[in-house]
Each structure stands twice: as structure tokens, then as C-alpha cells.
Amino acid sequence: MTESLPIAARATSREWIGLFVLSIACLVYSMDLSVLFLAMPAITADLAPSAAELLWINDIYGFMVAGFLVTMGTLGDRVGRRRILMIGAAAFGLASLFAAFATTASMLIFARALLGIAGATIAPSTLSLVVNLFSDESERNRAIGIWGTAFALGGLIGPLLGGVLLEFFHWGSVFLINVPVMLALVVASPFLLPEFRSEQSGRIDVASVLLSLASVLPVIYGLKHIATDGFELVHLPPIAVGLGLGVVFLRRQMRLQDPLIDLSLFAIPSFTASLLVNLFGVFFVFGIFLFQNQFLQLVLGLSPLQAALWSIAPSLVFTVMSLQAYRITNRLGPVRTVLLGLAVNAIGAAVMAMAAYGQSLYGVLFASMLIGLGFVPVVLTTTGLIVGSAPPERAGAASAISETSAEFGGAMGVALLGSLASIIYRLAMATTDLGALPPPLAEASRSTLAAAVEVAGSMKGEGTPWLEVARDSFSLGFAVSCGVAAITLVALALLARWVYGTNPPAATTAAH
């Protein structure tokens, strides 16, 4: 006789309101990743940063978020997820005030670093609290979808809201909008959100915290510079140092009684498989969409505004799917949702390859919608499986590992697929006749399509037959990268099917 599973309690209005509060915090966190781009001209005019300072103003927030995710997720498990979220929200609000009234580039860089450290509390704490709020599996799937939608909307709304504020106010206004939201989160959290901490947790190992930072930050730094500057040997040492320190970090975790990361989580097959699917899903989507934005402007010749307007339809697909993905997961179950999503994602990547090679605007937009249809259910379902596979007392650490893998996936996708496309572009342009150009301009045009378009634009009506060759070369690199993505996603689906078939996730077992 089998013991029946307990029926999970249904959520009340209090839990849904709590989810709304958490989602607003996620939206603001996501907005801060993108809202600054439009403000950079005003910041440059006001603070006169150097080229290096300008780079750090843009990048330091993402670096700090990536570096501190694991620490903050584990800290939340040990001292309380709600407490860490409230401390982080208060710090985020104060750092936003500091950033808004910065009078030098150095002050703004420091403020952005503080924002990143505070922001690192939000993603793992909010996700683990969502798991605490919703014990019913179908409701939890829906809640994770809403949580994911907040991140998507933040990236979409950030530039739009930033543009409106910059039209009428000082550039500091893009930071001041964070303050009332974070204040509301601090006030509402004690009434709407449960507290959860692990009773078995020991002390935080400071050496592990430092090692985790020293592992993550150089790797992210190197990958971002490869994405920005192209593949150069000078960017490999930071990655090598980070990976080496990562090995030291992992060995230390094996020896500690209370490790910063519980490596036993990776012994759970569904956890590891879901983490890999999540990482590679983000890897390919970030890489493909980097190409898409360049393709629309540099190959098809659209203005930034036209490219943004044409991209609205794919963005809407991503947003709607984030809200509705739970229906697919609840109907098909998590495993079939992941496998079907990977298949659709692979088809979308293959269509994108053909559209890029044929330089078709409508083909690229259609492929982008297909990728959204497949990617969103996969990433949200695997996020739920990652957190659901972990013991409740380790949900914060599992959430942080999930978010860190997404950060790495995005950075690697942009860097590695970008490098592949760059190599193909250079090979295709190597034999192109650029004898009419001065050697420095010829070399620049052979390096990137952006440089080729800029050089052609400066020639004021002179013949530029090589520009079409440059556009064809970029399209070829884009198509090959998408082809690699399609093949790898099929292989990933087969691997996931084997792992999930051998070791079904606990949620699936319970549901069936």
C-alpha cells in the first residue's frame, strides 16, 4: 500500500500580493542593467569620464551582481531570506541616491558597484521566497513565470522609461526611480513575505567568499571584453586565473563542514541537467540576439529606432510566453515542456540561420518569435526544477547557482559565438580587394562589419562594392553560429531526455 502525497495548500491573496512585491523588485533590478545606456551621453557631458571610466560605469554593476550572487544566496539560507532581501533593498535604495547625485566618474563607479552588490541579494532571495510562498506545484509554476516576466519587462521598460526621464530631468533621475520602489519593499516585506532560514547552517567561511569573487569576476571580465573587443590573447589570462581559482574554491568546499556551495546538489541528476539546459539555453539566446540587433542595423540598414520598432513583436512573444508558460508546464509536465521547448528552440535557430544567410527581415523576426516560444518555457521550467530539486534549506543557494549560471551563459554566448562569427567574417573578407582604402581603414573593414559600414559612410558617395561583400560575410558568420546553436540544442535535448528518463525530477514524480 502506497502512502498518498499530502495535498499542497492553495495560495491566498496575501501570497499573490507578496509575489507582486517581489516582481516589482526584480523589475527594478533588471531595469538597472539597461537603463544606463541612454543616460551615457548626458553622464559623459556632465562628469567627463575617461574611456576606461566609461567602460567601468557600464560594466561594474553586472560584474558585482555576478560575483556576489552565490554569497548572497547562501547568506539568505543562513540568516534569513526575507532579512537579506530587506537589507539588500535598503542598500539598493541608498546606493541609488548616491549614484543620482554623484559629482565625479569615480563616485558613480563606486555607487554602481554598491548597486551591484545590493542587487545580488534580489534575484536569489526573491526566487527562493517564491518557492516558500507557493507550495502547490501548478501555482508555483505560474508564480515563477510571473517572476521571470518581471525580469523581461525590466529589460524592455528600462530604456523606454529612461528615455522619458532624460527628456525632462537630470540623468540622476534614472537612479532616483529605484528609491520609492525599494522603500515600499522594505515596508511591505514583514507583512507579506515569510521568513525562512536553515537551522543547520554554520558560519560563513570568509575565505570561500573571497575565493568565489576571485573566481567569478576575472572570468566575467575576460568574456565581456572578448565580446566587446573580439578574441584577443590578452583577454585569456583573466579567464585562466578565474578558472584556476575556481578549482581552489571547489576543493575548499569539499573540505568544509559548512561550505559556501553545497556540492552535493550537483549529485542530484535533475539539478545538474536542469542547470546545464538553463545555461546553454541562455548561452545561445544571448549570442543570437546580439547578432540580430547588429544584423538589423548593419546588414539591412535600419535605424536604431526602426530596429527597435521591428523588434517589438518578438519582445511581446517573450513577455506573453513568460506569463503563459506555466500552462504548458502544468499540462505537459516539466520534462516534456523542457524537451519540446528545446526542439522548438532548435527549429528557431535553424530558421534564423536560413533567414540570416538570405538576409530576410521577416525571416529573422519569425525565427526570433520561434526562439521565444521555445526558450521561455525551457528557462522558466528548468529554473523551477533547479530550485525544486534542492532541499528547502538550500533553496537560496540553488537560486543563486541558477542565476550565476545564467550570467555565465549570457556572457559566454556573446563572447564565444561572437568570436566564431568574427573569425568567419575575417576569413571571408581576407581576399576582398580593399586596395582603394588606406591600410588602417582596410584593416578595420576586414575586422568588423561596424567598421566597414562606418568607413563606407565616410566616403561620401564614392564606390564601395566591397561593402556588400562585408555584409554577406557577416550574414554568413551569423548563419553558421545559428547552425551551431541548432545542432547543439538538439544534442542537449537528447542528453536531457536521457538524464530525466533515468532520474525523473521529484516534481514530476510527485505530479504523476
Side-chain angles (χ1 to χ4, degrees):
M1 182 176 178
T2 59
E3 184 179 349
S4 61
L5 293 168
I7 299 175
R10 304 287 290 183
T12 65
S13 58
R14 178 182 175 182
E15 280 77 25
W16 291 108
I17 294 172
L19 173 64
F20 174 77
V21 172
L22 293 174
S23 298
I24 294 298
C26 293
L27 186 143
V28 170
Y29 158 84
S30 179
M31 278 173 48
D32 251 53
L33 288 168
S34 60
V35 74
L36 196 67
F37 296 136
L38 288 176
M40 287 313 297
I43 291 172
T44 302
D46 190 17
L47 303 183
S50 66
E53 288 173 330
L54 201 61
L55 184 67
W56 280 111
I57 290 171
N58 272 308
D59 288 347
I60 193 68
Y61 179 79
F63 288 158
M64 290 296 103
V65 167
F68 278 90
L69 276 169
V70 170
T71 298
M72 294 304 181
T74 305
L75 199 60
D77 287 338
R78 298 189 178 191
V79 306
R81 294 167 191 165
R82 186 181 68 190
R83 179 182 297 176
I84 286 295
L85 179 61
M86 291 174 65
I87 293 171
F92 200 94
L94 292 172
S96 296
L97 280 173
F98 184 30
F101 297 105
T103 56
T104 66
S106 299
M107 283 179 64
L108 184 56
I109 292 169
F110 182 58
R112 290 277 289 169
L114 294 177
L115 278 168
I117 296 170
T121 68
I122 292 174
S125 295
T126 52
L127 179 55
S128 53
L129 283 169
V130 166
V131 175
N132 293 147
L133 285 169
F134 298 93
S135 54
D136 178 79
E137 184 183 357
S138 63
E139 289 185 332
R140 186 167 62 247
N141 290 336
R142 184 177 187 181
I144 290 175
I146 294 171
W147 175 86
T149 303
F151 285 97
L153 284 176
L156 187 64
I157 292 173
L160 298 176
L161 183 58
V164 172
L165 290 171
L166 291 167
E167 184 71 23
F168 300 102
F169 303 105
H170 179 260
W171 60 262
S173 61
V174 300
F175 295 108
L176 290 177
I177 57 175
N178 301 337
V179 177
V181 175
M182 291 303 164
L183 178 61
L185 177 61
V186 171
V187 172
S189 291
F191 303 100
L192 296 173
L193 304 177
E195 182 58 288
F196 186 96
R197 68 174 64 86
S198 172
E199 301 299 332
Q200 291 82 35
S201 296
R203 295 183 304 169
I204 287 284
D205 180 54
V206 177
S208 292
V209 171
L210 296 176
L211 276 172
S212 73
L213 293 174
S215 304
V216 172
L217 294 180
V219 175
I220 293 288
Y221 177 85
L223 290 174
K224 281 186 177 290
H225 276 275
I226 289 174
T228 304
D229 308 329
F231 182 82
E232 296 179 11
L233 291 177
V234 71
H235 301 318
L236 293 182
I239 297 175
V241 169
L243 293 175
L245 290 172
V247 172
V248 176
F249 170 78
L250 293 175
R251 287 182 174 175
R252 183 173 181 83
Q253 303 315 293
M254 293 176 186
R255 298 195 305 268
L256 292 176
Q257 184 176 352
D258 298 302
L260 190 66
I261 290 183
D262 186 357
L263 297 181
S264 65
L265 290 174
F266 292 91
I268 305 171
S270 59
F271 176 91
T272 303
S274 300
L275 195 67
L276 287 174
V277 170
N278 194 292
L279 185 150
F280 280 104
V282 174
F283 177 100
F284 288 118
V285 163
F286 271 61
I288 288 173
F289 284 170
L290 168 72
F291 293 130
Q292 179 180 311
N293 292 330
Q294 294 177 328
F295 178 86
L296 293 177
Q297 295 180 56
L298 300 177
V299 175
L300 300 185
L302 300 181
S303 69
L305 177 59
Q306 289 172 324
L309 292 174
W310 277 111
S311 299
I312 287 176
S315 298
L316 287 176
V317 170
F318 270 73
T319 303
V320 171
M321 280 304 299
S322 295
L323 287 170
Q324 298 300 319
Y326 77 96
R327 297 184 187 275
I328 301 172
T329 306
N330 290 342
R331 179 177 290 272
L332 300 181
V335 171
R336 279 184 289 179
T337 297
V338 170
L339 298 180
L340 178 62
L342 287 172
V344 173
N345 214 349
I347 293 170
V351 172
M352 185 71 83
M354 292 184 286
Y357 188 75
Q359 298 183 13
S360 167
L361 170 62
Y362 297 115
V364 165
L365 295 177
F366 175 67
S368 183
M369 292 181 192
L370 275 179
I371 289 172
L373 287 172
F375 169 75
V376 175
V378 167
V379 75
L380 293 179
T381 302
T382 52
T383 297
L385 288 174
I386 290 166
V387 181
S389 299
E393 66 274 8
R394 303 297 291 166
S399 302
I401 293 171
S402 173
E403 291 302 308
T404 304
S405 76
E407 290 280 346
F408 270 114
M412 286 194 300
V414 170
L416 299 184
L417 286 182
S419 297
L420 173 62
S422 177
I423 290 170
I424 293 170
Y425 176 86
R426 289 173 188 242
L427 289 174
M429 288 290 289
T431 57
T432 303
D433 182 12
L434 298 177
L437 297 177
L441 296 183
E443 179 59 29
S445 298
R446 285 195 176 98
S447 299
T448 68
L449 177 59
V453 170
E454 186 177 345
V455 169
S458 68
M459 296 185 67
K460 300 178 181 178
E462 297 180 33
T464 55
W466 47 267
L467 182 57
E468 285 307 309
V469 179
R471 285 174 168 152
D472 291 342
S473 301
F474 180 90
S475 299
L476 177 63
F478 185 8
V480 170
S481 297
C482 291
V484 169
I487 294 169
T488 308
L489 286 166
V490 170
L492 189 62
L494 294 174
L495 176 63
R497 182 183 180 186
W498 176 73
V499 174
Y500 288 139
T502 308
N503 300 274
T508 307
T509 306
H512 301 289

